[in-house]
Amino acid sequence: MPTVDDVLEQVGEFGWFQKRTFLFLCLISAILAPIYLGIVFLGFTPDHRCRSPGVDELSQRCGWSPEEELNYTVPGLGATDGAFVRQCMRYEVDWNQSSLGCVDPLASLAPNRSHLPLGPCQHGWVYDTPGSSIVTEFNLVCADAWKVDLFQSCVNLGFFLGSLGVGYIADRFGRKLCLLLTTLINAVSGVLTAVAPDYTSMLLFRLLQGLVSKGSWMSGYTLITEFVGSGYRRTVAILYQVAFSVGLVALSGVAYAIPNWRWLQLTVSLPTFLCLFYYWCVPESPRWLLSQKRNTDAVKIMDNIAQKNGKLPPADLKMLSLDEDVTEKLSPSLADLFRTPNLRKHTFILMFLWFTCSVLYQGLILHMGATGGNVYLDFFYSSLVEFPAAFVILVTIDRVGRIYPMAASNLAAGVASVILIFVPQDLHWLTIVLSCVGRMGATIVLQMICLVNAELYPTFVRKAKPKESKIYLQVQTSELKGP
């Protein structure tokens, strides 16, 4: 009886049908970019200072320039440790009193400004930016600056919680249904985030978006790898992640054109609704249908693939079966990841790599926006380094293997990040170079983990069926055991 891989070898492992489906699903990967890293622009913190009633009137009466107004009214200017004072403290002075002059007005109150009492901002802040972000709208600065990190943490928490349930939904109800359901919720929650009336509701909508967005990405990843032949799975898996990098590059341009965070959030959320057309454009995975004993539906889809690719289906297509081994009949569980010494070792190593590189990846991106340069160009340049990262993987994965590129990339990312700690702030170009090197290394490791994860685990655990993975599993396990 022919298997899906046997049929694909005859009707096309990466023909017109697979190419079209791949391009469709790449939109899902690109859409994840503003959800995962949109915080760079949505939560951008511009230079700011306390709003002091009466300063505007005094400045207008005296004809001060913006520099003179700052020099006369804002504490902490020029001090090496004055950033907090400049942004979060104000002189406790009544700027409406008539005794204040236009030349050094505070001199009449105290011979030295350091003797004047300071207090926290009570009337809001003045932000030096033409646009807006969640920081400027909800005043997430000074004592409330931690709320920006909470905003991003909600997305990451959603990724974690969603990953626990989306896999079950995809295996129980199908990859296509899971993709459509998570896409719909992702689109709606994205729009709701853009129109959220307050900070709390915005957090809830962002958490909901995080819960489903990674699941939508995973469903697309699974679908495209199950539609192509075994010889193309690694390539489409890497290129599917490259689509995420394309989304990052596009995000920098869109954010530059739309400096208002609500319109930006709405702009990047509305294209998600286009993915609902996948109901008509993308069929269910024939491998999943066979696992559910829905052989007739699987045969119809494989016959449609043959027609789209301009090939004749095999004569015994109706005998299509799922190539399973005994272990695939077992019910997988979380405990299977730790059942044997080798599986435990693989699991802990991959978990450690994923955690450290994910934190490093986000940290480097957020640091790029805090270097004092142009945040849009910084983000754009650093996003470009992800493309050579994918090229390195494609070139080395079959020639060198997995272990050495992962180890070298991880080392490069770590060394670059450590050096960044000691780089002076005025060396902006060196900061950019080191950040790009670190990000490229982290990108290679993260993309490689997705491939290695599918190759190191038994089939019933990883829910994938590339033929060559079983052979690689034996080789890789012997390598990890050592001499």
Side-chain angles (χ1 to χ4, degrees), residues 179-201:
L179 176 65
L180 294 175
L181 180 62
T182 54
T183 297
L184 176 61
I185 299 175
N186 184 16
V188 173
S189 59
V191 173
L192 291 176
T193 301
V195 299
D198 51 59
Y199 175 78
T200 302
S201 58

Side-chain angles (χ1 to χ4, degrees), residues 384-399:
L384 291 179
V385 305
E386 297 197 4
F387 295 97
F391 177 77
V392 169
I393 296 175
L394 288 172
V395 170
T396 61
I397 193 170
D398 287 326
R399 294 175 174 82

Side-chain angles (χ1 to χ4, degrees), residues 55 58-59 62-75 77 91 93 95 101-107 113 116:
V55 168
L58 181 60
S59 177
C62 295
W64 288 338
S65 65
E67 292 76 14
E68 289 175 322
E69 179 182 329
L70 292 177
N71 183 49
Y72 291 148
T73 63
V74 177
L77 289 178
Y91 290 119
V93 172
W95 294 98
C102 292
V103 179
D104 198 4
L106 298 180
R113 293 186 191 181
L116 290 173

